[in-house]
Amino acid sequence: MSKDLLRTLGEETIYSAKGHFKSSDLRRIQVTYTIWVCALLSVLGIFIEDVNIGKWISGFGFMGTMALLMWNEGKEKSYRENHKEYGEEYLSLHKKIREAYLLGSTTDDDIRKLSSKVRTLDSQKAKPDIPFLARKWSQASIKKYNETNNWFIK
């Protein structure tokens, strides 16, 4: 029974950790590509022979850059750092659970404490949500590409 609970907790924590890390990666990629697309549109507008169309394309690139700057302000400013922080917390907890599973001399009280830590971390209101795409990306990286030590799978 206790081994099953440890496996379940291990699976939950690694998916959460990976999901938060992938959320951070996804935002980094999103911002990078948006910057490049906007820069290319701005430069492309210079070389368009029709001046009006060139101005519209350059303006669109400029507006995209401004929108990106405004989007990354406020609570979105620390989006990546928040996901990395929670990813590290889940990963640390996952390593403790794996250690308890592999040692085998873990008591039921220790397992209850680990379970309580997982519930506490899961229920934090400040924890950022994992976007759908990051969730699917993390599932594929764990199941399909074996980016983690999947000790929790029978």
Side-chain angles (χ1 to χ4, degrees), residues 78-96:
S78 58
Y79 181 88
R80 288 180 58 210
E81 289 80 17
N82 288 342
H83 274 291
K84 285 181 185 179
E85 178 184 323
Y86 278 98
E88 289 294 338
E89 287 184 44
Y90 273 111
L91 185 60
S92 172
L93 193 52
H94 175 78
K95 288 178 181 179
K96 289 177 186 175

Side-chain angles (χ1 to χ4, degrees), residues 1-15 94 97 101 118 151-153:
M1 174 64 180
S2 60
K3 290 286 188 184
D4 291 336
L5 179 58
L6 285 173
R7 274 198 297 272
T8 301
L9 292 173
E11 185 175 13
E12 289 174 5
T13 54
I14 197 63
Y15 276 105
H94 175 78
I97 292 168
Y101 179 81
V118 171
W151 59 269
F152 48 84
I153 298 174

Side-chain angles (χ1 to χ4, degrees), residues 86 120-129:
Y86 278 98
T120 302
L121 191 55
D122 283 344
S123 64
Q124 288 184 359
K125 299 219 184 301
K127 183 179 70 166
D129 291 330

